[in-house]
Amino acid sequence: MGLDTKEYDAIIIGGGFGGVYHLHHLRKLGFNVHMFEAGSQLGGVWYWNCYPGARVDTECPVYQFSDSGLFKDWKWTERYPGRDELRRYFDHVDKIWDLKKDISFNSRVTAAHWNKESSQWDVTVAQNQIGGTTELVARSKSILCCTGFASKPYTPPFAGMEKFQGIKYHTSEWPQEGVDLKGKRVGVIGTGASGVQVVQTVMPEVKELTVFQRTPNYALPMGQYKITDERNQEFKKNYPELVAKIRSTFAGFLYDFDSGECLKATEEERRELYERLYTTGGLHFWLGTYQDVLKNKEANDTAYKFWREKTIARINDPATAEILAPKVAPHPYGTKRVSLEQNYFEVFNKDNAHVVDVKKNPIETFTANGIRTADGKEHELDVVVLATGFDSISGGITLIDIRGEDGTSLKDKWAQGVWTYLGMTSVGFPNMFMVYGPQAPTAFATGPCSAETQGEWIGQCLSHMRDQKLTTIKPTEEAEAEWRTHVNDVGKQGLFSDTESWYFGTNIPGKPKEALNYMAGMQMYKQKCWESANNGYRGFIMA
């Protein structure tokens, strides 16, 4: 094992939006910072997620950093950029911000242990090089876990997977060089965002497509279109106002929930709003709707009824329509992550496309030639796409062997539930900051907005410690307990907690059910964070 003799003020783990912003921001503040990234390029989830059809569901120019200097010589080509365009954006950011000089690629952080004697973190890094993997230990006053909320893929323990003689990949582990699916019999397990995107993208080239659905996806039309040069110039001209709007809304979008109440509106008024939101495309029908739709079951039922009416009109076969958009909603509308689609439902009008309801007809086992379901049918397949999701929000952090003051691992501390203060720190782990992680807005806000919100706070905190010649910061047990209670109390409001989903960790067997995100919105979150900082970092112990 080698030793990186250089000691850093901060080590950043991960090169997505969170890691990139913190590297840039902390360097500007005069800190000596280094990033370790497991991939060979920047992008985070947009490096790893190279499966067919991978695309963001946040529109431009929202899904980008707020620095107008970055936007000056950049132009978007689509309302919702695909993976390749996002990767080019990260290359552009690197060029303007000159990032790579402080980044080690192909370098996966496997452990971070607090060293009591030096009051530093000893960070173990596995580096993939020609000829094999080497390990080194780097030392830093602080570590920033910018691992993202979808960096630990999850595959259910299906029986017989080792028997399958075809090709199988999880969407987040898709080969960078791609997979030839032309003329193949393809099975897709899972219908979250990745599953929807794969299905609608590969349909034209495969011989046969079989989709194994556990839960219907209440997907909305994306409303995709090309962005012209004129539109890009308009964005740039109005960019300061757009950024101000982004920083004022619940989730960092350019729109917010409607101020009206569904149940106080007339049927005509409700229909008019729903039509406008739906035809606008994107997530407007979900996050621009009446403020009570995600809180009141009766109001929510009107949204589901409208969505189903629109959806079943696109599906020819009534039996298939009942699987994809059942008459009785399996869960309240919008309490699972809503995806965007471009022709997903029409796929199932094709003679060579099939959907299997695995709630009623579960996967029994993989076989050498495909998948056998409980009804005894063997679905013969050449390729299986595992769009089965992630150990979300907390999984990417606990994948690293992080050990604090008393040698306890973060994974063990969180075994029965997540404990943080402000979604950025945790008792027993001094000078450790989490970005876009548990008990912060995370999956309930846009990535760039979240990165900048937390980055500004962390940057000021570290600057304060430097100015005051302070060595360590850690939250108090009381503050952490109060934050955990607050996060879960907010999570119980409305309809979200009534639904089994990765928002609450219930997609992972044995994982405690709890609110993994701060669901009161970005404005309330910022208020809570700055109340602490502006009151002498209330809730923290600094020494």
Side-chain angles (χ1 to χ4, degrees):
M1 181 180 294
L3 179 65
D4 182 345
T5 55
K6 193 171 184 180
E7 296 183 354
Y8 302 104
D9 293 324
I11 283 177
I12 294 170
I13 306 170
F17 274 105
V20 165
Y21 181 76
H22 283 78
L23 177 59
H24 171 67
H25 185 57
L26 294 182
R27 286 194 325 191
K28 280 182 61 178
L29 294 174
F31 291 101
N32 177 22
V33 193
H34 195 81
M35 175 194 291
F36 291 102
E37 162 57 39
S40 62
Q41 297 290 335
L42 291 174
V45 69
W46 299 114
Y47 171 80
W48 299 107
N49 279 4
C50 57
Y51 60 82
R55 184 177 299 279
V56 71
D57 58 8
T58 299
E59 61 193 300
C60 294
V62 173
Y63 202 67
Q64 64 183 55
F65 292 116
S66 64
D67 182 356
S68 59
L70 292 175
F71 203 9
K72 179 182 176 183
D73 296 318
W74 177 261
K75 60 181 181 181
W76 295 105
T77 66
E78 293 182 300
R79 181 186 184 187
Y80 296 94
R83 182 261 184 184
D84 291 345
E85 183 165 13
L86 291 167
R87 275 283 301 109
R88 291 194 297 272
Y89 177 71
F90 274 93
D91 288 342
H92 170 72
V93 173
D94 166 50
K95 180 181 177 181
I96 302 300
W97 283 354
D98 191 20
L99 300 173
K100 285 184 180 176
K101 64 183 180 182
D102 293 310
I103 302 174
S104 295
F105 290 105
N106 301 307
S107 300
R108 183 178 293 279
V109 172
T110 57
H113 295 176
W114 178 253
N115 187 320
K116 283 185 179 181
E117 294 182 5
S118 64
S119 292
Q120 290 181 313
W121 285 96
D122 294 337
V123 179
T124 303
V125 185
Q127 296 188 306
N128 291 326
Q129 300 174 338
I130 297 173
T133 301
T134 61
E135 280 195 343
L136 67 81
V137 175
R139 290 178 175 159
S140 180
K141 295 176 185 176
S142 301
I143 59 171
L144 283 72
C145 298
C146 302
T147 53
F149 77 76
S151 57
K152 184 182 179 182
Y154 172 68
T155 300
F158 295 115
M161 290 187 75
E162 73 286 351
K163 299 176 185 176
F164 182 56
Q165 295 180 0
I167 299 170
K168 62 177 184 296
Y169 288 110
H170 191 284
T171 49
S172 73
E173 296 168 335
W174 203 259
Q176 294 290 321
E177 66 274 14
V179 179
D180 181 11
L181 301 177
K182 189 174 182 179
K184 302 286 177 57
R185 299 166 300 177
V186 176
V188 179
I189 303 177
T191 54
S194 300
V196 166
Q197 290 177 340
V198 169
V199 166
Q200 64 190 17
T201 303
V202 306
M203 184 65 226
E205 62 178 318
V206 303
K207 179 180 180 180
E208 189 171 22
L209 182 66
T210 305
V211 179
F212 298 88
Q213 173 193 284
R214 182 178 62 176
T215 308
N217 192 319
Y218 300 169
L220 292 168
M222 176 170 277
Q224 178 70 301
Y225 52 73
K226 298 291 184 182
I227 297 180
T228 63
D229 288 345
E230 291 75 17
R231 184 66 169 150
N232 270 288
Q233 288 304 317
E234 184 181 337
F235 286 153
K236 292 172 185 179
K237 179 182 178 181
N238 299 321
Y239 199 50
E241 292 79 12
L242 296 177
V243 170
K245 180 65 175 178
I246 288 167
R247 290 183 171 179
S248 71
T249 57
F250 180 88
F253 290 106
L254 288 172
Y255 55 91
D256 231 329
F257 289 102
D258 189 272
S259 59
E261 294 184 35
C262 173
L263 298 182
K264 291 183 178 179
T266 65
E267 178 64 32
E268 292 75 18
E269 291 170 335
R270 191 158 52 233
R271 183 84 189 184
E272 182 181 354
L273 177 66
Y274 285 173
E275 286 282 0
R276 175 166 55 81
L277 295 174
Y278 187 85
T279 55
T280 299
L283 298 174
H284 290 254
F285 184 74
W286 181 31
L287 299 176
T289 189
Y290 294 111
Q291 58 184 325
D292 55 343
V293 164
L294 295 175
K295 299 176 182 178
N296 180 288
K297 182 63 166 59
E298 185 180 351
N300 190 275
D301 286 344
T302 68
Y304 181 79
K305 181 181 178 182
F306 178 89
W307 172 83
R308 181 176 185 270
E309 175 189 313
K310 291 289 189 181
T311 303
I312 62 174
R314 300 166 57 188
I315 306 167
N316 295 340
D317 177 54
T320 301
E322 181 59 22
I323 295 174
L324 297 171
K327 186 174 182 178
V328 177
H331 56 270
Y333 188 86
T335 55
K336 280 181 179 281
R337 185 68 162 83
V338 173
S339 301
L340 300 185
E341 54 82 28
Q342 296 186 73
N343 62 331
Y344 175 70
F345 295 106
E346 284 78 5
V347 163
F348 300 96
N349 294 331
K350 305 287 187 181
D351 291 338
N352 59 335
H354 320 284
V355 60
V356 179
D357 183 351
V358 297
K359 274 278 183 72
K360 296 179 179 178
N361 186 21
I363 292 174
E364 187 175 87
T365 185
F366 276 65
T367 66
N369 299 316
I371 290 174
R372 187 169 68 238
T373 44
D375 61 0
K377 180 177 180 178
E378 182 177 29
H379 304 266
E380 295 188 353
L381 304 167
D382 303 305
V383 180
V384 173
V385 180
L386 297 161
T388 49
F390 300 86
D391 182 353
S392 301
I393 316 296
S394 59
I397 299 174
T398 57
L399 196 58
I400 302 168
D401 178 24
I402 302 175
R403 297 183 181 270
E405 290 176 303
D406 64 0
T408 299
S409 73
L410 189 66
K411 182 178 181 179
D412 286 343
K413 177 183 176 179
W414 287 358
Q416 300 306 316
V418 170
W419 292 79
T420 79
Y421 180 43
L422 301 178
M424 289 188 281
T425 62
S426 191
V427 170
F429 298 84
N431 300 6
M432 181 190 79
F433 298 93
M434 294 167 286
V435 176
Y436 211 47
Q439 296 184 347
T442 310
F444 281 73
T446 63
C449 183
S450 293
E452 294 184 358
T453 295
Q454 292 181 311
E456 289 164 9
W457 191 95
I458 291 170
Q460 180 166 310
C461 175
L462 292 176
S463 296
H464 171 79
M465 292 175 64
R466 179 180 58 191
D467 295 345
Q468 299 299 317
K469 295 180 170 54
L470 299 168
T471 305
T472 59
I473 178 173
K474 55 186 177 182
T476 66
E477 292 185 358
E478 180 183 18
E480 183 177 71
E482 287 179 357
W483 184 252
R484 174 178 165 81
T485 298
H486 174 55
V487 170
N488 281 287
D489 284 348
V490 171
K492 292 173 185 174
Q493 297 172 10
L495 302 173
F496 282 93
S497 61
D498 296 338
T499 300
E500 302 292 305
S501 77
W502 57 264
Y503 286 154
F504 286 82
T506 54
N507 64 315
I508 305 298
K511 191 169 182 175
K513 183 176 182 178
E514 59 182 332
L516 290 170
N517 301 274
Y518 184 64
M519 298 165 64
M522 287 296 295
Q523 302 315 305
M524 182 60 70
Y525 180 69
K526 285 188 281 190
Q527 178 182 321
K528 296 286 185 182
C529 291
W530 289 107
E531 279 178 357
S532 167
N534 295 334
N535 287 279
Y537 289 92
R538 184 174 62 207
F540 289 98
I541 300 169
M542 292 181 167

